[in-house]
Amino acid sequence: MAKYSRIIAQAGCHIHHAEPAQVYEAWTNPELMKTWMFLSGESRESEAKADVTEGGAWSVVNESQEETYRAYGEYLKIDPPERIEKTLVRKETGGQNEKIKVEINSILNGSQVIVTQDVVFLHHEQLHPKTVEEHLREQRRQTEKYWHEMFSLLSKQLTPS
C-alpha cells in the first residue's frame, strides 16, 4: 500500500531590473508561464492556462521527445503583486496536492522571489523510516535545484538584454 511523506523545500532568487508586478505577471500570464515554468532542457512545445482567481485552475504542459510533463492545480490565495498560493499536482505525487507559496518582494534593483513548496514523496508503507528520511532530503535537494533552474529561465525572460 502507498504512503505519502512530506517535506518543505524553499528556494529564492533576485531578479534584477524587474519590478514585482512584472514577476507576478510571469507567474500568472499563460503566455509567459510557458516560457519558463516546469520546462526541461529538451522541451519542444509548451502550453499553459491560468484562471487567476481564488479557486481558479492553472496548468502547464511541456512536451519533449521522451515524455509529456503535466503540472496543474488551483489558486488558493491571490494577493497581487506580492503573493500567490496554489496547489500543485503532478504524476510523481500520485494525485496528492502539494502546496506552493510564492512571495515577491521589491528590493534594490529588482525583485526577490521566494518559493516554498510542500513536497510529497510517494513510497511503500514498509519502507524503513531512515530510508524515507534519506529520500525526503534528496527530494528537497532536487526540488530546490529545479526551482533554481526555473528561476534562471524566469530571470532571462524578465531581464532586459
Side-chain angles (χ1 to χ4, degrees), residues 32-46:
L32 295 173
M33 290 166 55
K34 70 182 185 179
T35 65
W36 69 273
M37 195 177 283
F38 300 110
L39 284 180
S40 71
E42 303 85 36
S43 291
R44 294 182 316 187
E45 191 173 318
S46 297

Side-chain angles (χ1 to χ4, degrees), residues 16-141:
H16 297 278
H17 308 292
E19 295 297 319
Q22 293 171 283
V23 176
Y24 178 86
E25 178 80 2
W27 278 88
T28 58
N29 178 323
E31 289 304 309
L32 295 173
M33 290 166 55
K34 70 182 185 179
T35 65
W36 69 273
M37 195 177 283
F38 300 110
L39 284 180
S40 71
E42 303 85 36
S43 291
R44 294 182 316 187
E45 191 173 318
S46 297
E47 71 177 54
K49 297 178 183 173
D51 173 8
V52 188
T53 58
E54 291 182 12
W58 70 273
S59 65
V60 175
V61 178
N62 294 307
E63 292 186 31
S64 68
Q65 285 187 330
E66 291 83 39
E67 68 175 329
T68 298
Y69 181 83
R70 288 177 168 67
Y72 61 92
E74 176 182 308
Y75 290 102
L76 302 172
K77 184 174 182 177
I78 303 294
D79 187 12
E82 297 147 352
R83 185 184 202 98
I84 302 165
E85 292 183 25
K86 61 185 181 176
T87 61
L88 167 65
V89 180
R90 14 180 220 122
K91 70 178 178 184
E92 296 86 357
T93 64
Q96 292 292 305
N97 282 345
E98 296 176 309
K99 289 185 182 163
I100 295 176
K101 178 173 61 173
V102 181
E103 298 171 273
I104 306 166
N105 302 301
S106 179
I107 60 173
L108 186 62
N109 295 321
S111 297
Q112 176 192 49
V113 180
I114 300 170
V115 173
T116 305
Q117 182 175 342
D118 168 35
V119 180
V120 170
F121 170 59
L122 176 64
H123 59 88
H124 193 278
E125 66 181 8
Q126 294 177 348
L127 197 58
H128 190 276
K130 274 247 191 259
T131 304
V132 171
E133 286 178 34
E134 289 170 13
H135 282 288
L136 284 170
R137 280 194 300 275
E138 180 60 18
Q139 282 288 120
R140 177 191 297 136
R141 191 185 72 71

Side-chain angles (χ1 to χ4, degrees), residues 139-150:
Q139 282 288 120
R140 177 191 297 136
R141 191 185 72 71
Q142 287 294 330
T143 300
E144 291 171 353
K145 178 180 180 246
Y146 198 46
W147 277 113
H148 285 287
E149 290 170 4
M150 284 191 286

